[in-house]
Amino acid sequence: MNAAVDRKKPRLATTSLAGCFGCHTSLLDIDERLFDLVERVDFDRSPLTDTKQCASCDIGLVEGGLCNAENILVLHEFRRNCKLLVALGACAINGGLPAQRNHLDLGQCLQEVYLTGPGIVGGQIPNDPELPLPLDKVRPIHEVVRVDYFIPGCPPSGDAIWKFLTDLLDGRTPRLGYPLLHFD
Amino acid sequence: MRQPNILFDGLPLPFADGQTIMEAATAAGIFIPHLCHHPDFKPQGSCKLCTVKANGRHVSACTMPAKDGMEVENNSPDLNDKRRTMLQMLFVEGNHFCPSCEKSGNCMLQALAYELEMLTPHFPHFYPDRPVDASHPQVLLDFNRCILCELCVRASRDVDDKNVFALSGRGIRKHLIVNAESGRLADTSFSLGDKAAHVCPVGVIIEKGRGFALPIGRRRYDIQPIGMELERAARCRGSGEAI
Ligand code: SF4
Ligand code: SF4
Ligand code: FES
């Protein structure tokens, strides 16, 4: 135990790509166990720290799938820097809700939303170079980088996330099992 | 006369003449993962989830007759790995977005994925484009989730005597169709009272107006894992099953 205290704390990074922040909200749902968590890990890049660049980390939790070019860059940044990359939640694992647009033509979507939809006068499709280009299809993250672990759920429960993290931090192979393993 | 036995995962399991491996196991309270099998219908052996090894050969438990002395391997890491892979292929070839599916929690595909600890679909998604058929006043058809088990086909043909459903096309193009010139369910004699309205193991044939009346989290496989009713009985008899 003492040896563990002396060692440098593992670093944890988190990000939300094409997600709804529900998975991050679920992470907060571990409630007072957050105190234990900050005892045991240091947060790196994360919406919780507002750090914008990922440094070398032990664990990277990625919420959300890939719907635009920036998502891909951030995902690669996480893969480069994180020893263990974890797909957190349905969208990271199978595209989830954003992927429900995949059977629609992206060009037609943009036209309808910004040009031809009801009540639009003199609209234009946003083209500021600051805006990341949307992908024609939303993709889960394992289709682009190697992913080490998956935590299903929409969102996964706080208990599932906690079980996963404590398994990992205690040196066990993470295992959700029934009833923490849920797709809904 | 001595009753014939199969050796099922190392344990002797008696069976009655004419029973398949699936029927013998079910009668003894042992769950073999399956999707296209249903005790009320003639087995057709198409989904392969029930694949076991009988005397060293891969066979479908739902169609293979039990034979005296046959050695059957069922709950092994090797077979469960293969079954998980089959589930992953089923998940990526359709559109399975469980959080918005009214069948979630009551779905056999999802329940088996839990049971076999399928954490990721693993393969690239096909994201097929399959429009839903909402024409019928009582029932919605969401083809995005069809696993081609043909239970609705068998039920409508053999029990309801209506022949509302069929599979069409081959290989990756195989898909469920509705037997009407328009292709729409509203233009058939299908009704909610049909057996076919209640056999789909996944979320294709959905009764309208029910939605999430029973909330997610309180549904059949939220309460207990698939196969549990069966296996609890087996455990009580002290079968010493390893988990
Ligand atoms: S049919 Fe089953 S696996 Fe498919 S989306 Fe619905 S609940 Fe999920
Ligand atoms: S609609 Fe349901 S019952 Fe019919 S073939 Fe598809 S999955 Fe099977
Ligand atoms: S349950 Fe036996 S092949 Fe489908």
Side-chain angles (χ1 to χ4, degrees):
Chain A
M1 212 45 210
N2 284 335
V5 173
D6 292 337
R7 264 211 318 267
K8 222 164 116 287
K9 282 200 255 177
R11 293 190 73 77
L12 173 68
T14 77
T15 189
S16 177
L17 306 177
C20 70
F21 273 93
C23 296
H24 275 79
T25 309
S26 240
L27 172 61
L28 299 181
D29 233 10
I30 64 175
D31 297 331
E32 71 280 5
R33 288 169 291 185
L34 273 169
F35 294 118
D36 298 335
L37 187 61
V38 292
E39 285 291 312
R40 302 193 61 183
V41 301
D42 283 327
F43 275 89
D44 195 271
R45 173 180 172 155
S46 167
L48 307 180
T49 56
D50 215 17
T51 307
K52 306 294 187 205
Q53 289 293 322
C54 193
S56 179
C57 282
D58 298 282
I59 308 167
L61 300 180
V62 178
E63 163 188 334
L66 307 162
C67 79
N68 64 36
E70 196 224 355
N71 292 157
I72 308 244
L73 293 178
V74 175
L75 180 62
H76 280 302
E77 181 192 325
F78 266 67
R79 180 65 281 182
R80 265 198 317 278
N81 285 292
C82 300
K83 283 192 201 131
L84 287 175
L85 195 67
V86 184
L88 177 65
C91 299
I93 290 175
N94 61 28
L97 181 72
Q100 305 308 297
R101 75 152 155 93
N102 279 356
H103 64 283
L104 303 171
D105 179 81
L106 181 62
Q108 271 174 12
C109 271
L110 291 171
Q111 291 226 341
E112 194 171 330
V113 171
Y114 292 106
L115 299 178
T116 63
I120 297 171
V121 185
Q124 82 176 67
I125 296 177
N127 64 354
D128 191 302
E130 288 263 310
L131 292 174
L133 284 174
L135 306 178
D136 68 331
K137 284 205 189 324
V138 178
R139 292 280 169 193
I141 67 171
H142 76 264
E143 295 189 16
V144 173
V145 296
R146 196 193 81 237
V147 177
D148 301 297
Y149 287 105
F150 301 83
I151 310 179
C154 187
S157 64
D159 286 341
I161 298 173
W162 180 248
K163 169 77 163 65
F164 175 86
L165 287 174
T166 46
D167 276 354
L168 203 58
L169 294 170
D170 293 343
R172 292 185 296 268
T173 302
R175 188 169 184 196
L176 294 181
Y178 194 89
L180 292 177
L181 176 55
H182 257 268
F183 294 172
D184 52 20
Chain B
M1 212 181 85
R2 186 187 75 89
Q3 198 179 7
N5 277 291
I6 55 179
L7 205 61
F8 193 93
D9 281 341
L11 295 171
L13 195 105
F15 66 93
D17 207 27
Q19 274 184 329
T20 59
I21 297 173
M22 177 73 79
E23 286 162 344
T26 305
I30 297 169
F31 180 73
I32 301 177
H34 60 270
L35 282 169
C36 72
H37 168 76
H38 188 298
D40 296 352
F41 299 100
K42 204 167 149 291
Q44 65 166 15
S46 63
C47 77
K48 303 299 171 203
L49 249 292
C50 69
T51 298
V52 294
K53 264 189 181 172
N55 291 340
R57 284 179 49 228
H58 289 101
V59 298
S60 303
C62 68
T63 53
M64 188 64 164
K67 286 197 189 63
D68 195 22
M70 184 187 253
E71 278 185 43
V72 178
E73 172 188 322
N74 169 50
N75 191 6
S76 65
D78 174 42
L79 284 170
N80 286 335
D81 281 350
K82 292 192 167 72
R83 289 170 179 148
R84 195 179 311 109
T85 302
M86 287 187 265
L87 291 176
Q88 288 169 324
M89 293 193 283
L90 287 172
F91 269 86
V92 298
E93 86 169 30
N95 289 310
H96 293 275
F97 179 48
C98 297
S100 79
C101 178
E102 292 181 20
K103 191 79 174 189
S104 198
N106 295 322
C107 167
M108 284 183 69
L109 177 66
Q110 185 192 60
L112 284 172
Y114 294 167
E115 184 66 11
L116 296 169
E117 297 187 71
M118 188 198 101
L119 302 178
T120 159
H122 180 77
F123 299 107
H125 284 75
F126 290 21
Y127 294 126
D129 180 10
R130 301 185 196 153
V132 301
D133 177 352
S135 63
H136 195 277
Q138 298 165 306
V139 170
L140 171 85
L141 293 182
D142 190 333
F143 298 101
N144 290 291
R145 305 164 185 152
C146 182
I147 55 167
L148 309 175
C149 71
E150 285 191 89
L151 276 170
C152 59
V153 177
R154 285 176 275 170
S156 186
R157 183 189 61 212
D158 304 341
V159 180
D160 308 329
D161 210 10
K162 290 187 179 177
N163 234 350
V164 168
F165 300 104
L167 293 190
S168 171
R170 284 178 181 279
I172 196 62
R173 277 183 243 287
K174 190 187 268 190
H175 62 288
L176 184 71
I177 54 166
V178 170
N179 286 338
E181 207 162 319
S182 64
R184 291 164 13 122
L185 193 63
D187 298 326
T188 69
S189 56
F190 184 82
S191 83
L192 199 53
D194 291 0
K195 178 83 170 168
H198 307 282
V199 288
C200 182
V202 295
V204 181
I205 304 176
I206 298 279
E207 184 183 344
K208 288 184 176 176
R210 287 172 67 95
F212 295 87
L214 186 65
I216 278 176
R218 300 208 340 237
R219 298 175 170 201
R220 181 168 180 186
Y221 302 119
D222 297 328
I223 307 298
Q224 63 178 345
I226 193 166
M228 198 55 149
E229 296 111 332
L230 267 177
E231 294 198 351
R232 190 166 283 158
R235 262 200 288 282
C236 291
R237 285 197 293 273
S239 67
E241 163 208 20
I243 298 189

